[in-house]
Amino acid sequence: MRSLFTILLAAALAIPTPRAQAQNTSDLTLKGRTVNDKGAVVDYATVSVSSVQDSTKTYGTVGDDKGAFEVRLPRGDYRLKISFMGYENLERQIELNSDTDLGDLTMHPSAVTLDEVVVTGNIITREADRFIVNQANTPLAIGRDGKEIMSLAPGVWISEKGEISVNGRKGTRVMVNDRMLRETGEDLLAYLQNLKAEDILKIEVIPYAGAEYDADMTSGIIKITLKKQRNDGMEGSATMRYGHSLVNDMTWYLQPAVNLKYRNNKLSLYTDFSLNRNKSGNTVSGINQFHTGDQVTQTSGGKLYNLGSYKTLRVGGVYDIDDRQSVGLEVNYTHSPSTGNNRNDLTMQSGDEVTDVQSLYLSDNLNYRISVSGNYILNLDTLGSTFKLLLDYNRRNGDDHSDYHSLYSGFRNLDSTYRSDIITLNNIYSATADFDIALSKVSKLTTGIKYTNNGMDNSTLYEYLKNESWHEIGALTNLNKYNENISALYAKFSTRFKNNFALSLGLRGEYTYAVPSTSSTVITDKQNYFGLFPNANLSMPLNKKQSQMLILGYSRKIQRPWFWALNPFRRPLSEYSYIEGNPRLTPAYTNEVNLTWVFAHKYSLSFGTQLTKDNIQQILVTDPTNPDAIVYRFENMPHMNLWFVNLSVPAQITKWWQMTFNATGINFRSKLSGQPITIQNSIMGNMDNTFTIHKEKKWYVDLGGNYQSPIAVGNIRMGHYYTINGGLKHTFAKDRMTMSIYVNDIFNSGTVRVTGTDPSVTNVSVMQGSFRRLGISLRYNFKAGKKIKVKNVQSGAGDEQSRLSGGASAPGGGN
């Protein structure tokens, strides 16, 4: 891998550029300030300047929070274009012979379609179907990574394991420059942490994905748009992050990363490489109280740690055939080997009978993934009509080997030694053809078709040691296959009326045919079904300035079982607890209605309900073959209803104090077969404060935190959880260097209590997986020649990618 990256880096550096690589000192300055027709600042507008003589030479920047912008240009004639969501584009011819200040440039509000911005404001604004975080060039972005800045968006919650939820619903997908990320869980977390917040122009939170997206995107989409860059040459950055626990040796990480972008005429090339070497661990103690049989009590405690090395390489390119057509190709490779060590001591008591069990579990996991995405894009007219053909292939190989050894003493005296080898191969193919047809300046029709084939091959082998030879454990050993075909047809119409009311209507039809098979005794059934998935949005301004508005939405979605959860395996967690798949899982269907009130342009209050039938949830039960063991298994719940309210408040308290605050309240009502309805109220929220110590020298202090109250779904309840974080950041060397020093979980509060209840057993576990941690990061930005606008390959592979590993969470993590 190292040699491959070295070759690619050397090749990129060797590409000749048509211009000198240093900034031309004879370049002139063009600057100005954007305001609206009321004289108010239009902040963070996008400024594009293209040469009249050579339209391929385009320069650009983004205005600051006061609307001011500045661009360095060679002498010549240019076309200036300034754009911002909710305003008409401002265009004019510029003859640049000397440094020029254009003064105040007035932008006028526009009649826009539903997919464009309706409300403009400060950092956080609201469209009819999404929130937009315009954090470019703000102190919020300095020294942060993509995960940190994304967690400031309204209703967004990101766990330490990389699970993303919006308004309390997990399963949110992430797109970067219109490319759907394939990474999930900790892989996604590593990707976001290697993304510079300073490179992000805006973040769009779409809580309810429309008909153009896969119907199983039940929790919406977060779209990240990177800043536009200038022509000719190369630029990039190198980053190093290091962190270590301040209370023990169970957690540390070392994360170097580098990215390069290059453009020459019609060809754009880009490559990213990152390495994440880390140690993660947790401590756990628990008690199982069985209510039937011998009334057994099990008390346990232990430590688990994992050593990982996550490497990723991305290489891509886009070629502009002409002004209307382009083709692109992108290849992603990840390699993530890891080793685990789990030590556990358990005491089992039944009356006067006491048995002690000392267990050691060692794991060796080897996983890699390769994906290839290609596209062809054709611009059909000047109104924005396009045709897109997207092709994707994704392959994932996993080889998980574990060795188990337990020593019994006391009432029972024996030695238990066994091992497992689980090999899984996933292949996913998808093809999408998409038409965006601009019917007029205010109306648009989106239509398309998509086909996806998902395949899984899995072999699970368990063996125990007896008389110095290995013997197969038939109850745990099996072969499994799963082949799924999904065909989709969709259409979406959006328009805007004269009274500024905006309407969007969409309909998606999906046909699914799946054939699961297994060598185990569990009977598996074919799945053959068709579903219609409508969605609608209506935005209603409450005043002429549109500073207040109501937005009403409806959608129907499907939740297909994760491939991992369909596998009828049984994996030991300890001598008396297991995690188990279920090949009989069926899809869950959800109807959702939501209402959002936007006031003072930027504040929002959202209400909604989500009604789900056959929700897929991890629950706790006793083992029917061993009454002294518990099993965490995925099941379909007959009903799960969720009500939520979300408040988002971005505020500039003073000139030196910037704050964002998000809070979500949730009411869960869930029901398991044969059990009463479970009702649970929960609150989650986060706050971040950035204090400017010295604006000119660019010193800043961050102080923030998050909180989640107890939450229960099914028969598993998770206790409250909170963290407080603080840091100091500084930008210097003409903004090329950024240094951050921070402490996460200042009060070492990352302890969670999890309770599972079943008529025959009660399980209580106390886990600490987050520890007070000191971290430091250093980032260097470099460029050779003039900045370029690097296009990225779009991908059509949607939510089916998350199902490769979406269910592989720890027990109790299953909403």
Side-chain angles (χ1 to χ4, degrees):
M1 174 61 67
R2 182 179 301 173
S3 61
L4 175 60
F5 177 72
T6 303
I7 293 171
L8 289 168
L9 178 61
L13 291 172
I15 297 175
T17 59
R19 296 178 178 269
Q21 297 301 300
Q23 176 68 46
N24 190 341
T25 57
S26 64
D27 282 355
L28 304 174
T29 299
L30 176 68
K31 60 183 179 180
R33 177 173 174 265
T34 52
V35 298
N36 63 20
D37 53 1
K38 305 295 184 182
V41 168
V42 177
D43 45 7
Y44 312 121
T46 300
V47 181
S48 175
V49 187
S50 59
S51 171
V52 173
Q53 290 79 16
D54 186 353
S55 61
T56 65
K57 297 177 182 178
T58 302
Y59 309 82
T61 187
V62 178
D64 61 19
D65 58 347
K66 296 180 175 59
F69 66 87
E70 182 175 310
V71 188
R72 296 282 294 174
L73 304 165
R75 190 183 308 270
D77 296 332
Y78 295 93
R79 296 185 183 91
L80 170 69
K81 179 180 178 181
I82 304 177
S83 58
F84 189 74
M85 298 158 291
Y87 289 89
E88 298 282 357
N89 290 338
L90 188 155
E91 300 183 12
R92 66 171 59 179
Q93 295 282 119
I94 302 291
E95 184 179 347
L96 191 64
N97 296 314
S98 61
D99 292 341
T100 302
D101 186 350
L102 300 175
D104 287 352
L105 300 169
T106 302
M107 303 186 69
H108 299 278
S110 65
V112 294
T113 65
L114 187 66
D115 291 332
E116 295 176 319
V117 168
V118 174
V119 180
T120 62
N122 292 325
I123 294 175
I124 298 179
T125 59
R126 173 74 201 202
E127 288 186 12
D129 65 341
R130 69 195 68 189
F131 292 96
I132 298 179
V133 183
N134 299 292
Q135 53 82 48
N137 299 338
T138 71
L140 287 175
I142 297 174
R144 295 183 189 270
D145 57 41
K147 181 252 183 183
E148 292 168 332
I149 202 69
M150 198 167 74
S151 65
L152 301 181
V156 175
W157 180 276
I158 306 176
S159 76
E160 293 299 318
K161 297 297 182 181
E163 295 175 328
I164 303 177
S165 62
V166 174
N167 296 335
R169 299 165 306 147
K170 296 181 181 179
T172 300
R173 299 301 313 279
V174 178
M175 300 180 71
V176 176
N177 280 358
D178 292 323
R179 184 180 68 90
M180 190 72 70
L181 296 185
R182 297 164 177 80
E183 293 80 3
T184 60
E186 294 184 352
D187 291 349
L188 175 60
L189 198 62
Y191 180 95
L192 294 173
Q193 288 174 335
N194 288 321
L195 190 64
K196 293 191 306 177
E198 294 98 324
D199 284 345
I200 298 174
L201 174 64
K202 62 180 179 179
I203 297 173
E204 300 171 77
V205 181
I206 308 174
Y208 320 101
E212 66 271 34
Y213 298 106
D214 294 340
D216 52 2
M217 290 189 180
T218 56
S219 185
I221 297 172
I222 296 177
K223 297 181 66 175
I224 297 175
T225 301
L226 302 180
K227 289 181 179 178
K228 295 181 179 180
Q229 297 163 344
R230 296 191 296 178
N231 267 338
D232 294 343
M234 180 184 296
E235 70 169 22
S237 68
T239 305
M240 176 65 75
R241 303 174 76 245
Y242 175 76
H244 199 288
S245 170
L246 294 174
V247 296
N248 53 37
D249 192 41
M250 294 188 67
T251 304
W252 60 262
Y253 61 84
L254 179 67
Q255 299 172 343
V258 63
N259 70 75
L260 293 172
K261 303 173 184 178
Y262 174 82
R263 181 168 181 169
N264 184 7
N265 198 8
K266 297 182 178 182
L267 179 64
S268 294
L269 300 174
Y270 54 91
T271 181
D272 304 314
F273 175 78
S274 64
L275 171 65
N276 182 2
R277 297 185 62 87
N278 65 81
K279 178 181 180 180
S280 59
N282 61 63
T283 61
V284 59
S285 61
I287 182 170
N288 297 329
Q289 180 65 61
F290 293 87
H291 309 307
T292 59
D294 296 331
Q295 303 287 312
V296 172
T297 300
Q298 299 171 347
T299 305
S300 63
K303 292 183 178 180
L304 182 151
Y305 68 83
N306 187 80
L307 291 172
S309 178
Y310 178 88
K311 297 179 283 290
T312 178
L313 173 67
R314 180 173 71 117
V315 179
V318 176
Y319 180 74
D320 295 321
I321 300 173
D322 53 37
D323 292 341
R324 299 176 56 202
Q325 304 177 82
S326 67
V327 292
L329 181 68
E330 179 176 299
V331 179
N332 288 266
Y333 176 82
T334 61
H335 182 225
S336 51
S338 65
T339 58
N341 184 307
N342 183 0
R343 298 177 181 270
N344 187 272
D345 295 324
L346 180 143
T347 298
M348 184 167 60
Q349 183 171 358
S350 176
D352 295 331
E353 301 173 354
V354 178
T355 301
D356 293 321
V357 185
Q358 293 181 319
S359 300
L360 173 63
Y361 298 163
L362 302 175
S363 64
D364 187 6
N365 305 322
L366 181 62
N367 296 281
Y368 77 85
R369 183 194 304 230
I370 186 168
S371 63
V372 181
S373 299
N375 66 39
Y376 168 75
I377 299 176
L378 172 64
N379 296 316
L380 300 173
D381 56 38
T382 59
L383 292 177
S385 300
T386 60
F387 167 74
K388 299 178 183 179
L389 178 63
L390 311 176
L391 303 174
D392 289 272
Y393 169 69
N394 186 279
R395 179 186 180 93
R396 182 188 181 193
N397 283 59
D399 187 354
D400 300 337
H401 179 85
S402 298
D403 294 289
Y404 308 85
H405 181 73
S406 296
L407 180 63
Y408 288 65
S409 61
F411 180 74
R412 299 180 184 178
N413 290 277
L414 57 94
D415 183 19
S416 172
T417 300
Y418 57 102
R419 66 188 182 185
S420 68
D421 195 21
I422 303 174
I423 300 175
T424 304
L425 172 63
N426 297 102
N427 284 294
I428 298 179
Y429 305 85
S430 69
T432 305
D434 183 273
F435 288 90
D436 288 340
I437 304 171
L439 303 176
S440 68
K441 290 185 178 180
V442 296
S443 299
K444 183 170 71 173
L445 177 65
T446 299
T447 62
I449 57 175
K450 181 177 181 179
Y451 170 75
T452 301
N453 175 264
N454 302 310
M456 178 190 75
D457 289 297
N458 166 264
S459 66
T460 301
L461 173 64
Y462 276 87
E463 298 174 305
Y464 68 93
L465 182 65
K466 183 178 181 180
N467 299 327
E468 297 184 354
S469 62
W470 292 98
H471 305 269
E472 182 178 298
I473 305 175
L476 299 179
T477 298
N478 49 61
L479 299 174
N480 310 284
K481 288 183 178 291
Y482 187 82
N483 187 272
E484 178 186 66
N485 298 273
I486 303 173
S487 301
L489 179 67
Y490 54 92
K492 177 183 175 181
F493 173 75
S494 61
T495 190
R496 188 172 182 84
F497 305 103
K498 292 183 179 180
N499 56 7
N500 283 325
F501 277 55
L503 176 67
S504 173
L505 298 172
L507 181 64
R508 186 181 185 94
E510 289 191 351
Y511 171 71
T512 304
Y513 178 71
V515 183
S517 62
T518 178
S519 64
S520 71
T521 58
V522 178
I523 299 175
T524 58
D525 300 321
K526 293 182 179 180
Q527 299 182 20
N528 188 349
Y529 53 89
F530 175 79
L532 288 175
F533 305 96
N535 73 304
N537 281 286
L538 175 65
S539 65
M540 300 166 284
L542 301 180
N543 56 18
K544 291 183 178 180
K545 295 182 179 180
Q546 300 186 56
S547 60
Q548 293 194 60
M549 65 185 307
L550 290 176
I551 303 164
L552 179 65
Y554 165 78
S555 65
R556 183 175 188 260
K557 295 293 182 180
I558 184 175
Q559 180 191 11
R560 294 185 179 88
W562 306 291
F563 299 161
W564 183 88
L566 287 166
N567 186 350
F569 69 95
R570 173 173 284 194
R571 181 177 300 177
L573 298 172
S574 69
E575 284 297 290
Y576 292 96
S577 63
Y578 305 88
I579 186 169
E580 184 177 84
N582 183 359
R584 294 184 175 179
L585 291 174
T586 60
Y589 292 89
T590 299
N591 288 282
E592 181 156 2
V593 179
N594 54 85
L595 177 66
T596 298
W597 173 38
V598 177
F599 51 101
H601 287 298
K602 54 187 176 178
Y603 309 118
S604 67
L605 185 63
S606 299
F607 307 85
T609 182
Q610 184 184 55
L611 310 177
T612 303
K613 181 181 179 182
D614 296 328
N615 183 64
I616 300 171
Q617 178 65 38
Q618 194 178 66
I619 65 171
L620 177 146
V621 297
T622 53
D623 185 355
T625 62
N626 182 0
D628 297 337
I630 61 175
V631 177
Y632 295 94
R633 186 174 67 209
F634 289 96
E635 291 283 356
N636 286 110
M637 301 171 59
H639 300 284
M640 192 196 80
N641 298 335
L642 177 152
W643 299 78
F644 75 88
V645 56
N646 173 261
L647 175 65
S648 172
V649 180
Q652 187 77 42
I653 308 299
T654 68
K655 291 182 178 180
W656 48 268
W657 179 7
Q658 197 169 42
M659 181 195 75
T660 62
F661 172 77
N662 290 302
T664 303
I666 306 171
N667 174 264
F668 285 102
R669 295 173 181 264
S670 57
K671 179 175 173 56
L672 292 172
S673 298
Q675 296 190 24
I677 295 176
T678 299
I679 300 176
Q680 174 71 52
N681 296 310
S682 182
I683 297 173
M684 60 178 63
N686 61 341
M687 175 185 288
D688 190 271
N689 299 273
T690 297
F691 303 94
T692 302
I693 300 177
H694 199 296
K695 184 175 182 180
E696 286 73 24
K697 295 186 177 181
K698 299 186 177 181
W699 283 93
Y700 306 92
V701 170
D702 279 333
L703 181 63
N706 56 68
Y707 172 79
Q708 179 175 302
S709 68
I711 188 170
V713 180
N715 63 357
I716 296 178
R717 182 179 188 271
M718 181 177 293
H720 78 279
Y721 173 88
Y722 76 94
T723 58
I724 303 295
N725 310 310
L728 175 68
K729 54 191 180 184
H730 176 45
T731 299
F732 56 101
K734 297 182 179 180
D735 294 339
R736 292 182 180 179
M737 298 286 291
T738 300
M739 181 182 67
S740 301
I741 301 175
Y742 48 89
V743 178
N744 288 343
D745 198 3
I746 294 173
F747 299 105
N748 203 44
S749 56
T751 301
V752 180
R753 181 185 179 95
V754 180
T755 304
T757 58
D758 183 77
S760 56
V761 65
T762 298
N763 164 261
V764 178
S765 300
V766 178
M767 297 179 287
Q768 182 167 8
S770 173
F771 304 95
R772 183 185 302 119
R773 185 174 69 238
L774 175 67
I776 184 170
S777 71
L778 186 65
R779 178 180 295 130
Y780 175 69
N781 300 317
F782 57 88
K783 53 188 174 182
K786 298 177 180 178
K787 289 185 180 179
I788 56 177
K789 176 182 177 181
V790 176
K791 297 185 177 181
N792 288 265
V793 174
Q794 298 185 32
S795 168
D799 192 59
E800 63 271 359
Q801 304 290 351
S802 67
R803 296 167 62 211
L804 292 177
S805 56
S809 58
N815 182 19

